[in-house]
Structures are given as structure tokens and as C-alpha cells.
Amino acid sequence: MKNLNIIFSAVTSVLGLLVGIAPYTFAKVCSMPKMHCHAVTAPTVLVFGILIFAISAVQTVLLWKRR
């Protein structure tokens, strides 16, 4: 069961990275700087993606050490 938690946490951290880079790579937002999708949504998604990655990475390390 512990190994499964480590795997899920690692997968979540990878998905956090993918969420963070999505607005700038494969799910492009509009290129007009004054539009809401470019000025607000893309940076917000980036911040939350990095936050998901960081929390999941820390959780993965903690679970790995407890093993």
C-alpha cells in the first residue's frame, strides 16, 4: 500500500508540471496581452501547477523516507 501511495504522489507531481506548462505549450491561450485569458488565467494556472508539483514532490519524498 505504501508503494502505491508513493507512485500516486509521483504521478501527481508530474501532472502538476503538465498543468503548469499547459497554457504556454499545448493548450495555448490567446496572444493579446490585455485579454483576461492571457493576463490572468495563464499565470494563475502556472502558479497552481507549480504549487501542485511542489506539494506532491515533498509528499513523495516524505513517503519515500517513511518506507
Side-chain angles (χ1 to χ4, degrees):
M1 187 67 168
K2 289 183 180 181
N3 288 337
L4 191 62
N5 287 338
I6 293 170
I7 291 169
F8 283 151
S9 183
V11 168
T12 303
S13 64
V14 170
L15 290 176
L17 280 177
L18 289 176
V19 165
I21 64 170
Y24 302 104
T25 56
F26 54 86
K28 298 266 187 189
V29 294
C30 63
S31 59
M32 300 169 131
K34 293 187 179 189
M35 294 295 287
H36 187 271
C37 58
H38 184 80
V40 178
T41 304
T44 303
V45 170
L46 177 66
V47 167
F48 279 114
I50 291 171
L51 188 64
I52 291 168
F53 168 74
I55 291 171
S56 296
V58 168
Q59 181 182 4
T60 303
V61 170
L62 291 177
L63 288 172
W64 186 268
K65 284 185 178 181
R66 270 192 222 159
R67 197 173 77 121

